[in-house]
Amino acid sequence: MSNQRPIGVFDSGVGGLTVAREIMRQMPDERIVYFGDTARVPYGSKSRVTIIRFVRQIVRFLETKKVKAIAIACNTASSYALDTIEAEVDLPIIGVVKPGARTAIRTTVNRRIGVIGTDATINSGMYPQYIHSLAPDIEVFGKACPLFCPLVEEGMLHDFVTEEIAHRYLTELKGRDIDTLILGCTHYPLIRSLIGKCMGPGVQLVNPAYETAVSLRDMLREKDLLAAPLPAGSEPHHEFYVSDGAEKFENFANSILPYDIRKTQVVDIEGYSMEKING
Ligand code: DGL
């Protein structure tokens, strides 16, 4: 049995493209419907109640696109809203926090892991909580890096300002003797080389996107939802939606994806409400 319906993937903006890119790489037959909430980015400074409301609207939107599963390609939304949404929606849903934490546990040798993310992700305590549930002996050090997301959204990936801010944020973690650092925001893999340079060669960087795509594939296989192989030479048609600034998003996405986006559509996301999910 196969299932040709698309996978819904979303984030507050361009960060989730790092997860979409990995899904495209690992599952070249799958179609993706991507939503970037570019009108309301960043999520990291917002409250749990607000994030849950945003996520409900996006999930409702993705349901109208007849997705077969959803990947929350955002650590902030995964930390604050995954449990709530899972209980409300009858679709397989995966977040990025657990897959990222599992990779870090496998990676660390000295049992000292750092996590960088938004204020919301770090304050939620989701990473240490999940890591400790699997490996209570591991020490976890969190550091919020709230300016990274807007800098990435502005495309300042190789800018000296971003480098300076990275140094300020990461100096504290460098003193913690960690050997593994989780890039706990899907925007951060886009400045991976800069973060790596700051942390030095003794620290392994973990990008949860890889493991998230692996877990997603396992989940689809288990539920008999994997797409059938495409004919040789053809590629799936992915769809991209944003809540604002379609052209800026599209330019950015085309610079990092192995897929040429032809059209990004703007969605009035506030028009999608939870009542409709259950209605
Ligand atoms: N990329 C998101 C994350 O993984 C959100 C960043 C933001 O909007 O603040 O947390």
Side-chain angles (χ1 to χ4, degrees):
M1 269 279 285
S2 62
N3 193 309
Q4 300 311 113
R5 283 184 294 148
I7 298 165
V9 179
F10 74 88
D11 177 45
S12 60
V14 297
L17 292 169
T18 60
V19 178
R21 179 170 69 180
E22 200 50 50
I23 295 171
M24 289 176 188
R25 216 175 266 155
Q26 292 187 32
M27 289 178 273
D29 299 316
E30 297 291 346
R31 275 197 301 135
I32 290 175
V33 173
Y34 185 94
F35 178 78
D37 202 356
T38 45
R40 305 189 290 196
V41 66
Y43 278 10
S45 51
K46 302 199 168 62
S47 69
R48 180 186 299 269
V49 171
T50 299
I51 299 297
I52 291 175
R53 185 168 68 84
F54 289 175
V55 171
R56 282 179 171 145
Q57 291 170 336
I58 297 166
V59 167
R60 173 59 194 147
F61 164 70
L62 291 173
E63 283 200 325
T64 67
K65 295 290 159 196
K66 305 275 179 266
V67 297
K68 61 184 173 187
I70 292 176
I72 304 186
C74 171
N75 290 264
T76 307
S78 301
S79 300
Y80 273 176
L82 177 59
D83 292 349
T84 306
I85 295 300
E86 252 178 347
E88 292 173 353
V89 177
D90 198 17
L91 272 176
I93 302 187
I94 193 168
V96 283
V97 170
K98 291 180 181 176
R102 286 195 296 266
T103 312
I105 292 171
R106 280 201 308 273
T107 306
T108 184
V109 175
N110 74 359
R111 318 299 280 168
R112 296 171 75 83
I113 295 175
V115 186
I116 51 174
T118 64
D119 279 317
T121 298
I122 299 304
N123 292 338
S124 77
M126 272 296 281
Y127 271 104
Q129 205 178 305
Y130 188 62
I131 290 170
H132 288 145
S133 73
L134 299 176
D137 64 307
I138 290 182
E139 283 201 75
V140 185
F141 304 92
K143 174 74 188 165
C145 304
L147 287 173
F148 279 169
C149 169
L151 287 166
V152 169
E153 287 285 328
E154 285 309 313
M156 294 170 70
L157 309 184
H158 308 286
D159 198 284
F160 75 93
V161 173
T162 311
E163 192 164 345
E164 169 61 27
I165 287 169
H167 275 289
R168 288 205 203 179
Y169 281 150
L170 301 175
T171 303
E172 180 188 317
L173 276 180
K174 281 171 76 173
R176 301 288 194 179
D177 189 30
I178 56 170
D179 69 353
T180 303
L181 178 64
I182 302 173
L183 305 180
C185 170
T186 52
H187 284 74
Y188 300 177
L190 297 166
I191 49 169
R192 184 190 180 116
S193 56
L194 200 146
I195 294 169
K197 202 165 109 188
C198 282
M199 294 308 295
V203 177
Q204 295 286 324
L205 303 185
V206 169
N207 173 5
Y210 176 82
E211 191 68 22
T212 300
V214 172
S215 302
L216 177 64
R217 193 182 51 209
D218 291 347
M219 188 172 86
L220 294 178
R221 186 180 296 123
E222 194 182 298
K223 297 187 182 302
D224 232 352
L225 288 174
L226 282 172
L230 291 169
S234 57
E235 63 175 6
H237 174 70
H238 306 298
E239 292 174 37
F240 295 85
Y241 298 87
V242 290
S243 44
D244 203 1
E247 197 182 330
K248 182 176 170 195
F249 172 89
E250 194 166 300
N251 289 338
F252 194 107
N254 276 329
S255 72
I256 65 158
L257 286 181
Y259 178 83
D260 191 24
I261 305 177
R262 281 155 226 128
K263 193 168 163 40
T264 301
Q265 295 175 56
V266 177
V267 172
D268 174 16
I269 199 66
E270 293 281 0
Y272 291 83
S273 72
M274 192 59 192
E275 286 81 67
K276 290 184 198 161
I277 287 190
N278 297 318

Coordinates of all heavy atoms in Angstrom, one line a residue, residues 113-192:
I113 N 26.1 18.1 27.2 CA 25.5 18.5 26.0 C 25.1 20.0 26.1 O 24.5 20.3 27.1 CB 24.3 17.6 25.6 CG1 24.7 16.2 25.3 CG2 23.5 18.2 24.5 CD1 23.6 15.2 25.1
G114 N 25.3 20.8 25.1 CA 24.8 22.1 25.1 C 23.6 22.2 24.2 O 23.5 21.4 23.2
V115 N 22.6 23.1 24.4 CA 21.5 23.3 23.5 C 21.3 24.8 23.3 O 21.3 25.5 24.3 CB 20.1 22.8 24.2 CG1 19.0 22.9 23.1 CG2 20.2 21.4 24.7
I116 N 21.3 25.2 22.1 CA 20.9 26.6 21.8 C 19.6 26.6 21.1 O 19.3 25.7 20.3 CB 22.0 27.3 20.9 CG1 22.4 26.5 19.7 CG2 23.3 27.6 21.8 CD1 23.4 27.3 18.8
G117 N 18.8 27.6 21.4 CA 17.5 27.7 20.8 C 16.9 29.1 21.1 O 17.6 30.0 21.6
T118 N 15.6 29.2 20.8 CA 14.9 30.5 21.1 C 14.7 30.5 22.6 O 14.8 29.6 23.3 CB 13.5 30.5 20.4 OG1 12.7 29.5 20.9 CG2 13.7 30.3 18.9
D119 N 14.3 31.7 23.1 CA 13.9 31.9 24.5 C 12.8 30.8 24.9 O 12.9 30.2 25.9 CB 13.3 33.3 24.7 CG 14.4 34.3 24.9 OD1 15.4 34.0 25.6 OD2 14.3 35.4 24.3
A120 N 11.8 30.7 24.0 CA 10.7 29.8 24.3 C 11.2 28.3 24.5 O 10.9 27.6 25.4 CB 9.7 29.9 23.2
T121 N 12.1 27.9 23.5 CA 12.5 26.5 23.6 C 13.4 26.3 24.8 O 13.2 25.3 25.5 CB 13.4 26.2 22.3 OG1 12.5 26.4 21.2 CG2 13.9 24.8 22.3
I122 N 14.3 27.2 25.1 CA 15.2 27.0 26.3 C 14.3 27.1 27.5 O 14.5 26.2 28.4 CB 16.3 28.1 26.3 CG1 17.2 27.9 25.0 CG2 17.2 28.0 27.5 CD1 17.8 26.5 24.8
N123 N 13.4 28.1 27.6 CA 12.6 28.2 28.9 C 11.6 27.0 29.0 O 11.3 26.7 30.2 CB 11.8 29.5 28.8 CG 12.7 30.7 28.9 OD1 13.8 30.6 29.4 ND2 12.2 31.9 28.5
S124 N 11.2 26.4 28.0 CA 10.3 25.3 28.1 C 11.0 24.1 28.8 O 10.3 23.2 29.4 CB 9.8 24.8 26.7 OG 10.8 24.0 26.1
G125 N 12.3 24.0 28.7 CA 13.0 22.9 29.4 C 12.8 21.6 28.7 O 13.2 20.5 29.2
M126 N 12.3 21.6 27.5 CA 11.9 20.3 26.8 C 13.2 19.4 26.5 O 13.1 18.2 26.6 CB 11.2 20.6 25.5 CG 9.7 20.7 25.6 SD 9.0 19.2 26.1 CE 8.9 18.3 24.6
Y127 N 14.2 20.1 26.0 CA 15.4 19.3 25.7 C 16.0 18.6 26.9 O 16.2 17.4 26.9 CB 16.5 20.2 25.0 CG 16.3 20.2 23.5 CD1 15.8 21.3 22.9 CD2 16.7 19.1 22.7 CE1 15.6 21.3 21.5 CE2 16.5 19.1 21.3 CZ 16.0 20.2 20.7 OH 15.9 20.2 19.3
P128 N 16.3 19.3 28.0 CA 16.9 18.6 29.2 C 15.9 17.6 29.7 O 16.3 16.5 30.1 CB 17.1 19.7 30.2 CG 16.7 21.0 29.6 CD 16.3 20.8 28.2
Q129 N 14.6 17.9 29.7 CA 13.6 17.0 30.2 C 13.7 15.6 29.5 O 13.7 14.6 30.0 CB 12.2 17.6 30.0 CG 11.2 17.1 31.0 CD 9.9 17.9 30.7 OE1 9.9 19.2 30.7 NE2 8.8 17.2 30.3
Y130 N 13.7 15.7 28.1 CA 13.6 14.5 27.3 C 15.0 13.8 27.4 O 15.0 12.5 27.5 CB 13.3 14.8 25.9 CG 13.1 13.6 25.0 CD1 12.0 12.7 25.4 CD2 13.9 13.3 24.0 CE1 11.9 11.6 24.6 CE2 13.7 12.2 23.2 CZ 12.7 11.3 23.5 OH 12.5 10.1 22.8
I131 N 16.1 14.5 27.4 CA 17.4 13.9 27.5 C 17.5 13.1 28.8 O 17.9 12.0 28.9 CB 18.5 14.9 27.3 CG1 18.6 15.4 25.9 CG2 19.9 14.3 27.8 CD1 19.5 16.6 25.7
H132 N 17.1 13.8 29.9 CA 17.2 13.1 31.2 C 16.2 11.9 31.4 O 16.5 11.0 32.1 CB 16.9 14.2 32.3 CG 18.0 15.1 32.5 ND1 17.8 16.5 32.8 CD2 19.3 15.0 32.3 CE1 19.0 17.1 32.9 NE2 19.9 16.2 32.5
S133 N 15.1 11.9 30.6 CA 14.2 10.8 30.7 C 14.9 9.6 30.1 O 14.6 8.4 30.4 CB 12.9 11.1 30.0 OG 13.1 11.1 28.6
L134 N 15.9 9.8 29.1 CA 16.6 8.7 28.5 C 17.9 8.4 29.1 O 18.4 7.3 29.1 CB 16.7 9.0 27.0 CG 15.4 9.2 26.2 CD1 15.8 9.5 24.7 CD2 14.6 7.9 26.2
A135 N 18.6 9.5 29.6 CA 20.0 9.4 30.1 C 20.1 10.3 31.2 O 20.6 11.4 31.0 CB 20.9 9.7 28.9
P136 N 19.7 9.9 32.4 CA 19.7 10.8 33.6 C 21.1 11.4 34.0 O 21.2 12.4 34.6 CB 19.1 10.0 34.7 CG 18.6 8.8 34.1 CD 19.2 8.6 32.7
D137 N 22.2 10.7 33.5 CA 23.5 11.1 33.9 C 24.1 12.3 33.1 O 25.1 12.8 33.4 CB 24.5 9.9 33.8 CG 24.6 9.4 32.4 OD1 23.6 9.2 31.7 OD2 25.8 9.4 31.9
I138 N 23.4 12.6 32.0 CA 23.9 13.6 31.1 C 23.6 15.0 31.6 O 22.5 15.3 32.1 CB 23.4 13.5 29.7 CG1 23.9 12.2 29.0 CG2 23.6 14.7 28.8 CD1 23.5 11.9 27.6
E139 N 24.6 15.9 31.6 CA 24.4 17.3 32.0 C 24.1 18.1 30.7 O 24.7 17.9 29.7 CB 25.7 17.8 32.6 CG 25.9 17.3 34.1 CD 26.8 18.3 34.8 OE1 26.3 19.4 35.2 OE2 27.9 17.9 35.0
V140 N 23.0 18.9 30.9 CA 22.6 19.7 29.7 C 22.7 21.2 30.0 O 22.2 21.6 31.1 CB 21.1 19.3 29.4 CG1 20.7 20.0 28.1 CG2 21.0 17.8 29.2
F141 N 23.2 21.9 29.1 CA 23.4 23.4 29.4 C 22.7 24.1 28.2 O 23.0 23.9 27.1 CB 24.9 23.7 29.3 CG 25.7 23.0 30.4 CD1 26.3 21.8 30.0 CD2 25.8 23.5 31.7 CE1 27.0 21.1 31.0 CE2 26.5 22.7 32.6 CZ 27.1 21.5 32.3
G142 N 21.7 24.9 28.6 CA 20.9 25.6 27.6 C 21.3 27.1 27.4 O 21.8 27.7 28.4
K143 N 21.2 27.6 26.2 CA 21.5 29.0 26.0 C 20.6 29.6 24.9 O 20.6 29.1 23.8 CB 23.0 29.2 25.6 CG 23.4 30.6 25.2 CD 23.5 31.5 26.4 CE 23.7 33.0 26.0 NZ 23.5 33.9 27.1
A144 N 19.8 30.6 25.3 CA 18.9 31.2 24.3 C 19.7 32.1 23.4 O 20.5 32.9 23.9 CB 17.7 31.9 25.0
C145 N 19.4 32.1 22.1 CA 20.1 32.9 21.2 C 19.0 33.7 20.3 O 18.9 33.4 19.1 CB 21.0 32.1 20.3 SG 22.2 31.1 21.1
P146 N 18.2 34.5 20.9 CA 17.1 35.1 20.2 C 17.3 35.9 19.0 O 16.5 36.0 18.1 CB 16.4 36.0 21.3 CG 17.4 36.2 22.4 CD 18.4 35.0 22.3
L147 N 18.5 36.4 18.8 CA 18.8 37.2 17.6 C 19.1 36.4 16.4 O 19.1 36.9 15.3 CB 19.9 38.2 17.9 CG 19.6 39.4 18.8 CD1 20.8 40.2 19.1 CD2 18.5 40.3 18.1
F148 N 19.5 35.1 16.6 CA 19.9 34.3 15.4 C 18.8 34.2 14.4 O 19.0 34.3 13.2 CB 20.3 32.9 15.9 CG 21.7 32.8 16.4 CD1 22.1 31.6 17.1 CD2 22.6 33.8 16.3 CE1 23.4 31.5 17.5 CE2 23.9 33.7 16.8 CZ 24.3 32.5 17.4
C149 N 17.5 34.0 14.9 CA 16.4 33.7 13.9 C 16.2 35.0 13.0 O 16.2 34.8 11.8 CB 15.2 33.3 14.7 SG 13.7 33.4 13.7
P150 N 16.1 36.2 13.6 CA 15.9 37.4 12.7 C 17.1 37.6 11.8 O 16.9 38.0 10.6 CB 15.7 38.5 13.7 CG 15.5 38.0 15.0 CD 15.8 36.5 15.0
L151 N 18.3 37.3 12.3 CA 19.5 37.5 11.4 C 19.4 36.5 10.2 O 19.7 36.9 9.1 CB 20.8 37.3 12.2 CG 21.1 38.4 13.2 CD1 22.2 37.9 14.2 CD2 21.6 39.6 12.5
V152 N 19.0 35.3 10.5 CA 18.9 34.3 9.4 C 17.7 34.7 8.4 O 17.9 34.7 7.2 CB 18.6 32.9 9.9 CG1 18.2 31.9 8.8 CG2 19.9 32.4 10.7
E153 N 16.6 35.1 9.0 CA 15.5 35.6 8.2 C 15.9 36.7 7.3 O 15.4 36.9 6.2 CB 14.3 36.0 9.0 CG 13.5 34.9 9.7 CD 12.6 34.0 8.7 OE1 12.1 34.6 7.8 OE2 12.5 32.8 9.0
E154 N 16.8 37.6 7.7 CA 17.3 38.7 6.9 C 18.4 38.3 5.9 O 19.0 39.1 5.2 CB 17.8 39.8 7.8 CG 16.7 40.6 8.5 CD 15.7 41.1 7.5 OE1 16.0 41.7 6.5 OE2 14.5 41.0 7.8
G155 N 18.7 37.0 6.0 CA 19.7 36.5 5.0 C 21.2 36.8 5.4 O 22.1 36.7 4.6
M156 N 21.4 37.2 6.7 CA 22.7 37.7 7.1 C 23.5 36.5 7.6 O 24.1 36.4 8.7 CB 22.6 38.7 8.2 CG 22.0 40.0 7.7 SD 21.5 41.2 8.9 CE 23.1 41.8 9.5
L157 N 23.7 35.5 6.7 CA 24.3 34.2 7.1 C 25.8 34.3 7.2 O 26.4 33.6 8.0 CB 23.9 33.1 6.1 CG 22.5 32.9 5.7 CD1 22.3 31.8 4.7 CD2 21.6 32.7 7.0
H158 N 26.4 35.2 6.5 CA 27.9 35.3 6.5 C 28.3 36.7 6.9 O 29.3 37.2 6.5 CB 28.4 34.9 5.1 CG 27.9 33.6 4.7 ND1 28.4 32.4 5.2 CD2 27.0 33.3 3.7 CE1 27.7 31.4 4.6 NE2 26.9 31.9 3.7
D159 N 27.5 37.4 7.7 CA 27.8 38.7 8.1 C 28.6 38.8 9.4 O 28.4 38.0 10.3 CB 26.4 39.4 8.3 CG 26.5 40.9 8.2 OD1 27.0 41.5 9.2 OD2 26.1 41.5 7.2
F160 N 29.4 39.9 9.4 CA 30.3 40.0 10.7 C 29.4 40.3 11.9 O 29.8 40.0 13.0 CB 31.4 41.0 10.5 CG 30.9 42.5 10.5 CD1 31.0 43.2 11.7 CD2 30.4 43.1 9.4 CE1 30.5 44.5 11.8 CE2 30.0 44.4 9.4 CZ 30.0 45.1 10.6
V161 N 28.3 40.9 11.7 CA 27.4 41.2 12.8 C 26.9 39.9 13.4 O 26.9 39.7 14.6 CB 26.2 42.0 12.4 CG1 25.1 42.2 13.5 CG2 26.6 43.4 11.9
T162 N 26.5 38.9 12.6 CA 26.0 37.6 13.0 C 27.2 36.9 13.7 O 27.0 36.3 14.8 CB 25.6 36.8 11.8 OG1 24.7 37.6 11.0 CG2 24.8 35.5 12.3
E163 N 28.4 37.1 13.2 CA 29.5 36.4 13.8 C 29.8 37.0 15.2 O 30.1 36.2 16.2 CB 30.8 36.6 12.9 CG 31.9 35.7 13.3 CD 33.0 35.6 12.2 OE1 32.7 36.0 11.1 OE2 34.1 35.2 12.6
E164 N 29.7 38.3 15.3 CA 29.9 39.0 16.6 C 28.9 38.5 17.7 O 29.2 38.2 18.8 CB 29.9 40.5 16.4 CG 29.8 41.3 17.7 CD 31.0 41.2 18.6 OE1 32.1 40.9 18.0 OE2 30.9 41.4 19.8
I165 N 27.6 38.4 17.2 CA 26.6 38.0 18.1 C 26.8 36.6 18.5 O 26.6 36.2 19.7 CB 25.2 38.3 17.5 CG1 25.0 39.8 17.5 CG2 24.1 37.6 18.2 CD1 23.8 40.3 16.7
A166 N 27.2 35.7 17.6 CA 27.4 34.3 17.9 C 28.5 34.2 19.0 O 28.4 33.4 19.9 CB 27.9 33.6 16.6
H167 N 29.6 35.0 18.9 CA 30.6 35.0 19.9 C 30.1 35.3 21.3 O 30.4 34.7 22.3 CB 31.8 35.9 19.5 CG 32.7 35.2 18.6 ND1 33.6 34.2 19.0 CD2 33.0 35.4 17.3 CE1 34.3 33.8 18.0 NE2 34.0 34.5 16.9
R168 N 29.2 36.4 21.3 CA 28.7 36.8 22.6 C 27.8 35.7 23.2 O 27.9 35.4 24.4 CB 27.8 38.1 22.4 CG 28.7 39.3 22.2 CD 27.9 40.5 22.6 NE 28.5 41.6 21.9 CZ 28.0 42.8 22.0 NH1 27.0 43.1 22.8 NH2 28.6 43.8 21.3
Y169 N 26.9 35.1 22.4 CA 26.1 34.1 22.9 C 26.8 32.8 23.3 O 26.5 32.2 24.3 CB 25.1 33.6 21.8 CG 23.9 34.6 21.6 CD1 23.3 34.7 20.3 CD2 23.3 35.3 22.6 CE1 22.2 35.5 20.1 CE2 22.2 36.1 22.4 CZ 21.7 36.2 21.1 OH 20.6 37.0 20.9
L170 N 27.8 32.4 22.5 CA 28.4 31.1 22.7 C 29.6 31.1 23.7 O 30.0 30.0 24.1 CB 28.8 30.5 21.4 CG 27.6 30.4 20.4 CD1 28.1 29.9 19.0 CD2 26.6 29.4 20.9
T171 N 30.1 32.2 24.1 CA 31.2 32.2 25.0 C 30.9 31.5 26.3 O 31.7 30.7 26.8 CB 31.6 33.7 25.3 OG1 31.9 34.3 24.1 CG2 32.9 33.8 26.2
E172 N 29.7 31.7 26.8 CA 29.3 31.1 28.0 C 29.3 29.6 27.9 O 29.8 28.8 28.8 CB 27.9 31.6 28.3 CG 27.2 31.0 29.6 CD 25.8 31.5 29.7 OE1 25.4 32.6 29.4 OE2 25.0 30.6 30.0
L173 N 28.8 29.1 26.8 CA 28.8 27.6 26.6 C 30.2 27.0 26.4 O 30.4 25.9 26.8 CB 27.9 27.3 25.3 CG 26.4 27.2 25.5 CD1 25.8 26.8 24.2 CD2 26.1 26.1 26.6
K174 N 31.0 27.8 25.9 CA 32.4 27.3 25.6 C 33.1 27.0 27.0 O 34.0 26.1 27.0 CB 33.2 28.3 24.9 CG 32.9 28.3 23.4 CD 33.6 29.4 22.6 CE 35.0 29.2 22.4 NZ 35.6 30.3 21.5
G175 N 32.7 27.7 28.0 CA 33.2 27.4 29.3 C 32.7 26.2 30.0 O 33.1 25.8 31.1
R176 N 31.7 25.5 29.4 CA 31.0 24.4 30.0 C 31.6 23.0 29.7 O 31.0 22.0 30.1 CB 29.5 24.4 29.6 CG 28.8 25.6 30.0 CD 28.6 25.7 31.5 NE 27.6 26.7 31.8 CZ 27.2 27.0 33.0 NH1 27.7 26.3 34.0 NH2 26.3 27.9 33.2
D177 N 32.6 23.0 28.9 CA 33.3 21.7 28.5 C 32.3 20.7 27.9 O 32.4 19.5 28.1 CB 33.9 21.1 29.8 CG 34.8 19.9 29.5 OD1 35.3 19.9 28.3 OD2 34.9 19.0 30.3
I178 N 31.4 21.3 27.0 CA 30.5 20.4 26.3 C 31.3 19.8 25.1 O 32.2 20.4 24.6 CB 29.2 21.1 25.8 CG1 29.6 22.3 24.9 CG2 28.4 21.5 27.0 CD1 28.4 22.9 24.2
D179 N 30.8 18.5 24.7 CA 31.4 18.0 23.5 C 30.4 17.9 22.3 O 30.7 17.5 21.2 CB 32.1 16.6 23.7 CG 31.1 15.5 24.0 OD1 29.9 15.8 24.2 OD2 31.6 14.4 24.1
T180 N 29.1 18.3 22.7 CA 28.0 18.2 21.7 C 27.1 19.4 21.9 O 26.8 19.8 23.0 CB 27.2 16.9 22.0 OG1 28.1 15.8 22.0 CG2 26.1 16.7 21.0
L181 N 26.7 20.0 20.7 CA 25.9 21.1 20.8 C 24.7 20.9 19.9 O 24.9 20.7 18.7 CB 26.6 22.4 20.4 CG 25.8 23.7 20.4 CD1 25.3 24.1 21.8 CD2 26.6 24.9 19.8
I182 N 23.5 20.9 20.4 CA 22.3 20.8 19.6 C 21.9 22.1 19.0 O 21.7 23.1 19.8 CB 21.1 20.2 20.5 CG1 21.4 18.9 21.1 CG2 19.8 20.1 19.6 CD1 20.4 18.4 22.1
L183 N 21.7 22.2 17.7 CA 21.2 23.4 17.1 C 19.7 23.3 17.2 O 18.9 22.8 16.4 CB 21.6 23.4 15.6 CG 23.1 23.3 15.3 CD1 23.4 23.3 13.8 CD2 23.9 24.4 16.0
G184 N 19.2 23.8 18.4 CA 17.8 23.6 18.8 C 16.8 24.6 18.2 O 15.9 25.0 18.9
C185 N 17.1 25.1 17.0 CA 16.2 26.0 16.3 C 16.5 25.7 14.8 O 17.7 25.6 14.4 CB 16.5 27.5 16.6 SG 15.6 28.6 15.5
T186 N 15.5 25.5 14.1 CA 15.7 25.0 12.7 C 16.3 26.1 11.8 O 16.7 25.8 10.7 CB 14.3 24.5 12.1 OG1 13.3 25.6 12.2 CG2 13.9 23.3 12.7
H187 N 16.4 27.3 12.3 CA 17.1 28.4 11.6 C 18.6 28.2 11.7 O 19.4 28.7 10.8 CB 16.7 29.8 12.1 CG 15.4 30.3 11.7 ND1 14.2 29.8 12.2 CD2 15.0 31.2 10.7 CE1 13.2 30.4 11.6 NE2 13.7 31.3 10.7
Y188 N 19.1 27.6 12.8 CA 20.5 27.6 13.1 C 21.4 26.8 12.1 O 22.6 27.2 11.9 CB 20.8 27.2 14.5 CG 20.1 28.1 15.6 CD1 20.2 27.8 16.9 CD2 19.4 29.2 15.2 CE1 19.6 28.6 17.9 CE2 18.8 30.0 16.2 CZ 18.9 29.7 17.5 OH 18.3 30.5 18.5
P189 N 20.9 25.7 11.6 CA 21.8 25.0 10.6 C 22.2 25.9 9.4 O 23.2 25.6 8.8 CB 20.9 23.8 10.1 CG 20.0 23.6 11.2 CD 19.7 24.9 11.8
L190 N 21.5 27.0 9.2 CA 21.9 27.9 8.1 C 23.1 28.7 8.5 O 23.7 29.4 7.6 CB 20.7 28.7 7.7 CG 19.5 27.9 7.1 CD1 18.2 28.7 7.1 CD2 19.9 27.4 5.7
I191 N 23.4 28.8 9.8 CA 24.7 29.5 10.2 C 25.6 28.5 10.9 O 26.3 28.8 11.8 CB 24.4 30.7 11.1 CG1 23.4 30.4 12.2 CG2 23.9 31.9 10.2 CD1 23.3 31.5 13.3
R192 N 25.5 27.2 10.5 CA 26.2 26.2 11.1 C 27.7 26.4 11.1 O 28.4 26.2 12.2 CB 25.9 24.9 10.4 CG 26.5 23.7 11.0 CD 26.3 22.4 10.1 NE 27.0 21.3 10.8 CZ 26.3 20.3 11.3 NH1 25.1 20.1 11.0 NH2 27.0 19.3 11.9

